[in-house]
Amino acid sequence: MSDRLPPDPGRPRPRSANAEGRLRRYLLVNGVAIWVSVLILVVLRVAVVGKSSTIEWTIEVLAGAGVVVLAAVALASRARSTLAAFMVVVATWGVALAITWFTPFIAPVGLLALLLPLVIVADHLPRRGRAAIVVTTTLLSGTIVAVGSLRGDEYDRAYAYSPLQALMLALFVPLLVSVLVLGLRDYVSRLQERTRELEESRSRLAQASVEARRGIERDLHDGAQQRLATLAVDIGRATRLWEKDPAAAGEVVRGLQGQLELAIRELRDLAHGIYPTALGEKGLPGALPAAARRTVLPCTVDARDIGRHTPAVEAAVYFCCLEAIQNADRHSHGTLISVLVDESRDGGGLRFRVTDDGTGFEPDAVPDAHGLTGMRDRIRAAGGELRIESARGRGTTVEGQFAPGTRQPR
């Protein structure tokens, strides 16, 4: 594993397999729509219209965009969704401008094409990338309207009106509207899925909170409370013996110190499980190495130069890393556990990764595992995203990402 996570301030959050699958499906649908359009235009050029520079230019533009989309499909299949999304956005802009320039009478089609990236692939881009796309799309919409208006008169003078114009409008408008409607439907599905996940996560967190309080009550009752009750009995016995047998009373009092030390240690251990003192005082660079020293397997921690973040984020990262470390220590059968925490150079998003070189497992085979679900819920409740990757014989990687804005000033 590298010394640091790749310095990418605008890196998007880790995404689920469903999100990646949706992007690939959209790219495939978009590519099919483009190449079907090319095929129809070629048929029109050969069998109906004959030689037409307008159709030839449109075919060339669409074919170029189709090649870009196919390349984006290949990148998305290799989990490079950010680059694939950028390529599709740029290709769409090029198509919108080109078809407006060559065929200004279908400028409305160009405007529809501009909307597609905003609806479908923007979620796969970094935050600053999305902002740049919104601004650029707004500017391009005005440019397309201006080009369509300026080129319209020139086009009408050069080419007499023909049924070809109506035919091209009838071809492209329904095609783009269909893709746009599918994109909107997919976007609504994503929102519904995220809402359902948040509701389920909230319910699980509430139940976990109740169970945690019961656990604390049980630990206090069985541990420190029993110890303190014994101390109270011994103090009473020492008081009764003080006048009758001072030597016996002194012996009882001397034994109280050891019991007090045990009670203090039990309370400290319990408090450490609730919220470690080192985490509150020193942050993640101070708390994670202490957790790593309690493992049986060797565990390395790299959290250098990490600033302080909000308590909710630091607690989520710490307990998620702690759970991943303990799982690797108990179940991985590996030889090394590595913990890496990093943040962008401008103090933006916090990222962490816990890896082991053990036997691994199939995450899909244990979708309802309490520990894995708890980690996801804790990170999502703090505003982040979590990804767990593992396979038989290839170890396990637990990786989380938070958007910029969680860092606190020094």
Side-chain angles (χ1 to χ4, degrees):
M1 185 173 63
S2 60
D3 292 337
R4 311 299 288 168
L5 288 171
D8 186 1
R11 182 184 178 188
R13 298 174 179 177
R15 302 201 166 273
S16 66
N18 288 337
E20 301 290 348
R22 289 193 189 98
L23 177 62
R24 288 194 296 270
R25 286 195 298 272
Y26 163 69
L27 293 177
L28 287 172
V29 170
N30 199 11
V32 169
I34 290 175
W35 286 107
V36 168
S37 301
V38 170
L39 179 60
I40 293 175
L41 288 175
V42 169
V43 172
L44 288 175
R45 163 70 174 79
V46 174
V48 179
V49 180
K51 184 175 179 59
S52 171
S53 58
T54 297
I55 291 184
E56 292 170 357
W57 288 332
T58 306
I59 289 173
E60 292 176 0
V61 170
L62 289 176
V67 171
V68 174
V69 171
L70 290 179
V73 171
L75 289 172
S77 301
R78 294 176 173 83
R80 302 187 64 181
S81 59
T82 300
L83 181 56
F86 268 122
M87 291 176 63
V88 172
V89 169
V90 174
T92 303
W93 289 345
V95 169
L97 287 171
I99 63 176
T100 302
W101 179 265
F102 295 135
T103 54
F105 62 90
I106 59 172
V109 176
L111 288 175
L112 281 175
L114 284 180
L115 297 177
L116 295 178
L118 294 180
V119 174
I120 299 173
V121 304
D123 287 349
H124 296 267
L125 299 171
R127 178 174 298 180
R128 285 180 292 184
R130 292 196 297 270
I133 286 177
V134 171
V135 173
T136 305
T137 301
T138 303
L139 296 176
L140 285 177
S141 64
T143 302
I144 285 178
V145 172
V147 169
S149 177
L150 293 175
R151 287 274 300 160
D153 293 339
E154 179 182 350
Y155 184 89
D156 291 340
R157 289 193 298 268
Y159 302 96
Y161 177 81
S162 69
L164 174 63
Q165 298 180 5
L167 183 61
M168 293 185 69
L169 284 172
L171 169 66
F172 284 108
V173 171
L175 189 62
L176 283 175
V177 169
S178 298
V179 177
L180 183 59
V181 169
L182 289 175
L184 288 171
R185 181 180 177 183
D186 181 73
Y187 185 75
V188 172
S189 299
R190 293 202 305 269
L191 290 179
Q192 292 174 341
E193 180 181 347
R194 177 56 61 89
T195 301
R196 184 175 62 256
E197 290 176 351
L198 288 175
E199 291 175 351
E200 293 175 352
S201 176
R202 187 183 298 113
S203 176
R204 288 192 297 265
L205 286 173
Q207 181 63 30
S209 177
V210 173
E211 294 176 357
R213 287 196 295 269
R214 291 175 179 171
I216 293 171
E217 179 184 4
R218 183 173 57 253
D219 292 341
L220 284 172
H221 179 271
D222 297 341
Q225 183 176 336
Q226 294 292 338
R227 188 80 59 187
L228 292 174
T230 301
L231 281 171
V233 172
D234 288 344
I235 290 173
R237 188 158 61 94
T239 302
R240 290 191 297 272
L241 290 173
W242 191 259
E243 294 182 356
K244 299 179 180 179
D245 190 349
E251 187 68 25
V252 172
V253 170
R254 282 189 292 273
L256 296 179
Q257 182 177 359
Q259 295 187 50
L260 277 172
E261 291 177 350
L262 289 175
I264 292 172
R265 186 179 303 116
E266 289 176 353
L267 287 173
R268 184 185 298 118
D269 292 341
L270 181 61
H272 180 82
I274 298 173
Y275 194 89
T277 302
L279 182 61
E281 294 177 351
K282 302 179 182 178
L284 294 170
L288 287 175
R293 287 192 290 269
R294 298 194 292 269
T295 62
V296 176
L297 295 177
C299 182
T300 64
V301 175
D302 184 357
R304 296 169 294 179
D305 303 325
I306 298 299
R308 297 306 302 269
H309 291 255
T310 60
V313 169
E314 288 188 342
V317 173
Y318 172 80
F319 285 108
C320 183
C321 289
L322 183 63
E323 179 75 17
I325 291 171
Q326 292 174 347
N327 288 341
D329 193 37
R330 296 170 184 169
H331 309 299
S332 72
H333 306 291
T335 61
L336 178 65
I337 306 170
S338 300
V339 182
L340 181 59
V341 186
D342 199 3
E343 61 187 351
S344 59
R345 298 302 181 186
D346 61 356
L350 184 68
R351 296 170 283 173
F352 67 91
R353 186 167 61 204
V354 181
T355 61
D356 65 69
D357 59 353
T359 55
F361 67 101
E362 296 294 340
D364 294 337
V366 287
D368 299 325
H370 179 73
L372 302 183
T373 302
M375 286 193 290
R376 291 191 182 96
D377 289 344
R378 187 183 290 273
I379 295 299
R380 287 175 179 172
E385 289 291 339
L386 187 73
R387 179 168 58 195
I388 300 173
E389 296 181 351
S390 184
R392 294 290 181 185
R394 294 186 352 200
T396 302
T397 296
V398 177
E399 183 178 7
Q401 168 85 30
F402 289 86
T406 64
R407 186 166 183 175
Q408 292 184 326
R410 293 184 181 275

